[in-house]
Short mmCIF file of all heavy atoms in Angstrom, two decimals:
data_model
loop_
_atom_site.label_atom_id
_atom_site.label_comp_id
_atom_site.label_asym_id
_atom_site.label_seq_id
_atom_site.Cartn_x
_atom_site.Cartn_y
_atom_site.Cartn_z
N ALA A 1316 88.25 25.28 81.71
CA ALA A 1316 87.19 25.51 82.69
C ALA A 1316 87.21 26.96 83.19
O ALA A 1316 86.17 27.61 83.27
CB ALA A 1316 87.33 24.54 83.86
N LEU A 1317 88.39 27.48 83.51
CA LEU A 1317 88.49 28.85 84.00
C LEU A 1317 88.01 29.85 82.96
O LEU A 1317 87.30 30.81 83.30
CB LEU A 1317 89.93 29.17 84.41
CG LEU A 1317 90.45 28.50 85.67
CD1 LEU A 1317 91.96 28.69 85.79
CD2 LEU A 1317 89.74 29.01 86.92
N ALA A 1318 88.37 29.65 81.71
CA ALA A 1318 87.98 30.58 80.65
C ALA A 1318 86.47 30.53 80.40
O ALA A 1318 85.80 31.57 80.34
CB ALA A 1318 88.74 30.27 79.37
N VAL A 1319 85.93 29.33 80.27
CA VAL A 1319 84.50 29.17 79.99
C VAL A 1319 83.66 29.69 81.16
O VAL A 1319 82.67 30.39 80.96
CB VAL A 1319 84.17 27.70 79.66
CG1 VAL A 1319 82.67 27.45 79.63
CG2 VAL A 1319 84.80 27.32 78.33
N GLN A 1320 84.04 29.33 82.36
CA GLN A 1320 83.28 29.78 83.53
C GLN A 1320 83.19 31.29 83.59
O GLN A 1320 82.14 31.84 83.91
CB GLN A 1320 83.96 29.30 84.82
CG GLN A 1320 83.74 27.87 85.13
CD GLN A 1320 84.48 27.47 86.39
OE1 GLN A 1320 84.90 26.33 86.47
NE2 GLN A 1320 84.65 28.35 87.34
N MET A 1321 84.30 31.98 83.33
CA MET A 1321 84.27 33.43 83.42
C MET A 1321 83.35 34.02 82.37
O MET A 1321 82.61 34.96 82.65
CB MET A 1321 85.69 34.02 83.30
CG MET A 1321 85.75 35.52 83.51
SD MET A 1321 84.94 36.19 85.01
CE MET A 1321 85.63 35.20 86.31
N GLN A 1322 83.36 33.45 81.17
CA GLN A 1322 82.43 33.92 80.14
C GLN A 1322 80.99 33.75 80.61
O GLN A 1322 80.16 34.65 80.43
CB GLN A 1322 82.64 33.15 78.83
CG GLN A 1322 83.94 33.46 78.14
CD GLN A 1322 84.22 32.53 76.98
OE1 GLN A 1322 83.48 31.57 76.71
NE2 GLN A 1322 85.30 32.79 76.28
N GLU A 1323 80.69 32.62 81.21
CA GLU A 1323 79.32 32.35 81.68
C GLU A 1323 78.94 33.27 82.84
O GLU A 1323 77.82 33.77 82.89
CB GLU A 1323 79.20 30.89 82.10
CG GLU A 1323 79.32 29.92 80.93
CD GLU A 1323 79.47 28.47 81.36
OE1 GLU A 1323 79.61 28.19 82.57
OE2 GLU A 1323 79.45 27.61 80.46
N THR A 1324 79.86 33.48 83.76
CA THR A 1324 79.59 34.37 84.89
C THR A 1324 79.36 35.79 84.40
O THR A 1324 78.41 36.46 84.83
CB THR A 1324 80.74 34.31 85.92
OG1 THR A 1324 80.78 32.98 86.45
CG2 THR A 1324 80.54 35.30 87.05
N GLN A 1325 80.22 36.25 83.52
CA GLN A 1325 80.07 37.61 82.98
C GLN A 1325 78.73 37.75 82.26
O GLN A 1325 78.03 38.75 82.44
CB GLN A 1325 81.23 37.93 82.04
CG GLN A 1325 82.57 38.05 82.72
CD GLN A 1325 82.78 39.35 83.47
OE1 GLN A 1325 82.26 40.40 83.09
NE2 GLN A 1325 83.54 39.30 84.53
N ALA A 1326 78.36 36.77 81.47
CA ALA A 1326 77.09 36.82 80.74
C ALA A 1326 75.90 36.84 81.70
O ALA A 1326 74.92 37.55 81.48
CB ALA A 1326 76.98 35.65 79.77
N SER A 1327 76.00 36.08 82.79
CA SER A 1327 74.91 36.02 83.77
C SER A 1327 74.67 37.35 84.45
O SER A 1327 73.55 37.67 84.84
CB SER A 1327 75.22 34.99 84.86
OG SER A 1327 75.26 33.71 84.35
N LEU A 1328 75.72 38.12 84.62
CA LEU A 1328 75.64 39.34 85.41
C LEU A 1328 75.67 40.62 84.59
O LEU A 1328 75.45 41.71 85.14
CB LEU A 1328 76.78 39.36 86.43
CG LEU A 1328 76.78 38.20 87.43
CD1 LEU A 1328 78.05 38.23 88.27
CD2 LEU A 1328 75.54 38.24 88.31
N ALA A 1329 75.91 40.52 83.31
CA ALA A 1329 76.13 41.70 82.46
C ALA A 1329 74.95 42.68 82.44
O ALA A 1329 75.15 43.88 82.30
CB ALA A 1329 76.47 41.27 81.04
N ASN A 1330 73.74 42.18 82.56
CA ASN A 1330 72.58 43.07 82.44
C ASN A 1330 72.03 43.55 83.78
O ASN A 1330 70.94 44.14 83.82
CB ASN A 1330 71.48 42.37 81.63
CG ASN A 1330 71.91 42.15 80.20
OD1 ASN A 1330 72.56 43.00 79.60
ND2 ASN A 1330 71.56 41.01 79.64
N ILE A 1331 72.75 43.34 84.85
CA ILE A 1331 72.33 43.82 86.17
C ILE A 1331 72.69 45.29 86.27
O ILE A 1331 73.84 45.67 86.04
CB ILE A 1331 73.03 43.04 87.30
CG1 ILE A 1331 72.84 41.54 87.14
CG2 ILE A 1331 72.63 43.55 88.66
CD1 ILE A 1331 71.50 41.01 87.51
N ASP A 1332 71.73 46.12 86.62
CA ASP A 1332 72.05 47.55 86.74
C ASP A 1332 72.71 47.83 88.09
O ASP A 1332 72.62 47.04 89.03
CB ASP A 1332 70.80 48.42 86.53
CG ASP A 1332 69.75 48.26 87.59
OD1 ASP A 1332 70.03 48.57 88.77
OD2 ASP A 1332 68.62 47.83 87.25
N ASP A 1333 73.37 48.95 88.16
CA ASP A 1333 74.17 49.31 89.32
C ASP A 1333 73.32 49.41 90.60
O ASP A 1333 73.74 48.98 91.67
CB ASP A 1333 74.91 50.62 89.07
CG ASP A 1333 76.10 50.78 89.97
OD1 ASP A 1333 77.05 49.99 89.84
OD2 ASP A 1333 76.06 51.68 90.83
N ARG A 1334 72.14 49.95 90.47
CA ARG A 1334 71.27 50.10 91.64
C ARG A 1334 70.90 48.74 92.23
O ARG A 1334 70.99 48.52 93.43
CB ARG A 1334 70.02 50.89 91.28
CG ARG A 1334 69.13 51.13 92.45
CD ARG A 1334 67.97 52.00 92.09
NE ARG A 1334 67.06 52.07 93.24
CZ ARG A 1334 65.87 52.59 93.19
NH1 ARG A 1334 65.42 53.14 92.09
NH2 ARG A 1334 65.12 52.58 94.27
N ARG A 1335 70.47 47.84 91.38
CA ARG A 1335 70.12 46.48 91.85
C ARG A 1335 71.33 45.78 92.46
O ARG A 1335 71.22 45.14 93.49
CB ARG A 1335 69.54 45.65 90.71
CG ARG A 1335 69.18 44.22 91.11
CD ARG A 1335 68.39 43.52 90.02
NE ARG A 1335 68.22 42.11 90.26
CZ ARG A 1335 67.35 41.55 91.09
NH1 ARG A 1335 66.55 42.32 91.80
NH2 ARG A 1335 67.27 40.25 91.23
N ALA A 1336 72.48 45.94 91.82
CA ALA A 1336 73.69 45.30 92.33
C ALA A 1336 74.08 45.84 93.70
O ALA A 1336 74.65 45.11 94.52
CB ALA A 1336 74.84 45.51 91.34
N THR A 1337 73.73 47.08 93.97
CA THR A 1337 74.05 47.70 95.25
C THR A 1337 73.03 47.38 96.33
O THR A 1337 73.39 47.10 97.48
CB THR A 1337 74.12 49.24 95.11
OG1 THR A 1337 75.05 49.57 94.08
CG2 THR A 1337 74.54 49.90 96.41
N GLU A 1338 71.78 47.35 95.97
CA GLU A 1338 70.70 47.31 96.97
C GLU A 1338 70.17 45.91 97.27
O GLU A 1338 69.65 45.68 98.37
CB GLU A 1338 69.55 48.21 96.53
CG GLU A 1338 69.93 49.67 96.49
CD GLU A 1338 68.82 50.57 95.97
OE1 GLU A 1338 67.74 50.06 95.58
OE2 GLU A 1338 69.04 51.79 95.94
N PHE A 1339 70.26 45.00 96.33
CA PHE A 1339 69.58 43.72 96.53
C PHE A 1339 70.44 42.70 97.27
O PHE A 1339 71.57 42.44 96.90
CB PHE A 1339 69.15 43.12 95.19
CG PHE A 1339 68.41 41.82 95.36
CD1 PHE A 1339 67.09 41.81 95.79
CD2 PHE A 1339 69.04 40.61 95.15
CE1 PHE A 1339 66.41 40.62 95.98
CE2 PHE A 1339 68.37 39.41 95.34
CZ PHE A 1339 67.06 39.42 95.76
N THR A 1340 69.87 42.15 98.32
CA THR A 1340 70.40 40.97 98.98
C THR A 1340 69.21 40.04 99.19
O THR A 1340 68.08 40.50 99.30
CB THR A 1340 71.06 41.27 100.34
OG1 THR A 1340 70.08 41.80 101.22
CG2 THR A 1340 72.20 42.24 100.19
N TYR A 1341 69.46 38.76 99.25
CA TYR A 1341 68.35 37.83 99.37
C TYR A 1341 67.89 37.61 100.81
O TYR A 1341 66.85 37.03 101.04
CB TYR A 1341 68.65 36.49 98.68
CG TYR A 1341 69.72 35.66 99.33
CD1 TYR A 1341 69.41 34.76 100.34
CD2 TYR A 1341 71.04 35.75 98.91
CE1 TYR A 1341 70.39 33.99 100.93
CE2 TYR A 1341 72.03 34.98 99.50
CZ TYR A 1341 71.70 34.10 100.51
OH TYR A 1341 72.66 33.34 101.10
N ALA A 1342 68.68 38.10 101.77
CA ALA A 1342 68.31 37.98 103.18
C ALA A 1342 69.13 39.00 103.99
O ALA A 1342 70.21 39.39 103.56
CB ALA A 1342 68.59 36.56 103.69
N PRO A 1343 68.62 39.39 105.13
CA PRO A 1343 69.38 40.33 105.97
C PRO A 1343 70.76 39.78 106.31
O PRO A 1343 70.92 38.59 106.59
CB PRO A 1343 68.52 40.47 107.22
CG PRO A 1343 67.13 40.09 106.79
CD PRO A 1343 67.33 39.05 105.72
N GLY A 1344 71.75 40.64 106.24
CA GLY A 1344 73.11 40.25 106.57
C GLY A 1344 73.88 39.58 105.45
O GLY A 1344 75.06 39.27 105.60
N LYS A 1345 73.24 39.33 104.32
CA LYS A 1345 73.91 38.71 103.17
C LYS A 1345 74.51 39.81 102.29
O LYS A 1345 74.06 40.94 102.28
CB LYS A 1345 72.95 37.85 102.35
CG LYS A 1345 72.42 36.65 103.12
CD LYS A 1345 73.54 35.72 103.50
CE LYS A 1345 73.03 34.50 104.22
NZ LYS A 1345 74.13 33.61 104.61
N TRP A 1346 75.53 39.44 101.52
CA TRP A 1346 76.19 40.41 100.65
C TRP A 1346 75.31 40.79 99.48
O TRP A 1346 74.50 40.00 99.00
CB TRP A 1346 77.48 39.80 100.10
CG TRP A 1346 78.54 39.55 101.13
CD1 TRP A 1346 78.68 40.15 102.35
CD2 TRP A 1346 79.62 38.64 101.02
NE1 TRP A 1346 79.79 39.67 103.00
CE2 TRP A 1346 80.39 38.73 102.20
CE3 TRP A 1346 80.04 37.75 100.03
CZ2 TRP A 1346 81.53 37.98 102.41
CZ3 TRP A 1346 81.17 37.00 100.25
CH2 TRP A 1346 81.91 37.13 101.43
N ASN A 1347 75.49 42.03 99.00
CA ASN A 1347 74.83 42.43 97.76
C ASN A 1347 75.67 41.91 96.58
O ASN A 1347 76.74 41.34 96.76
CB ASN A 1347 74.60 43.95 97.72
CG ASN A 1347 75.89 44.76 97.69
OD1 ASN A 1347 76.88 44.39 97.07
ND2 ASN A 1347 75.87 45.91 98.36
N LEU A 1348 75.16 42.12 95.38
CA LEU A 1348 75.84 41.57 94.20
C LEU A 1348 77.23 42.17 94.01
O LEU A 1348 78.16 41.47 93.59
CB LEU A 1348 74.99 41.80 92.95
CG LEU A 1348 73.74 40.93 92.86
CD1 LEU A 1348 72.83 41.43 91.75
CD2 LEU A 1348 74.10 39.49 92.63
N LYS A 1349 77.39 43.45 94.30
CA LYS A 1349 78.72 44.05 94.18
C LYS A 1349 79.70 43.38 95.14
O LYS A 1349 80.85 43.12 94.79
CB LYS A 1349 78.66 45.55 94.49
CG LYS A 1349 77.99 46.36 93.42
CD LYS A 1349 78.02 47.84 93.80
CE LYS A 1349 77.45 48.70 92.71
NZ LYS A 1349 77.56 50.14 93.06
N GLN A 1350 79.25 43.12 96.34
CA GLN A 1350 80.11 42.48 97.33
C GLN A 1350 80.46 41.05 96.93
O GLN A 1350 81.60 40.62 97.13
CB GLN A 1350 79.44 42.52 98.70
CG GLN A 1350 79.36 43.93 99.26
CD GLN A 1350 78.46 44.03 100.47
OE1 GLN A 1350 77.38 43.41 100.52
NE2 GLN A 1350 78.87 44.82 101.44
N VAL A 1351 79.52 40.34 96.35
CA VAL A 1351 79.80 38.98 95.89
C VAL A 1351 80.86 39.00 94.79
O VAL A 1351 81.83 38.24 94.84
CB VAL A 1351 78.52 38.26 95.40
CG1 VAL A 1351 78.85 36.93 94.74
CG2 VAL A 1351 77.55 38.06 96.56
N VAL A 1352 80.70 39.87 93.82
CA VAL A 1352 81.66 39.94 92.72
C VAL A 1352 83.03 40.40 93.24
O VAL A 1352 84.06 39.84 92.86
CB VAL A 1352 81.14 40.85 91.59
CG1 VAL A 1352 82.22 41.12 90.55
CG2 VAL A 1352 79.92 40.21 90.93
#
């Protein structure tokens, strides 16, 4: 489970560019993608 999950998580996030990962949050006060990772 740990191995497969990480592959899936990495694949889900691999194409996110740095700017989007830094700037996007879904609501005020929520973490951006970099902070979540």
Side-chain angles (χ1 to χ4, degrees):
L1317 289 169
V1319 169
Q1320 283 178 212
M1321 186 50 52
Q1322 291 171 355
E1323 293 169 353
T1324 296
Q1325 292 283 329
S1327 295
L1328 300 173
N1330 294 322
I1331 306 284
D1332 66 63
D1333 201 66
R1334 183 175 174 189
R1335 179 170 170 79
T1337 305
E1338 295 177 357
F1339 182 76
T1340 63
Y1341 68 88
K1345 296 297 182 181
W1346 293 337
N1347 64 37
L1348 288 168
K1349 288 182 176 184
Q1350 291 168 320
V1351 171
V1352 170

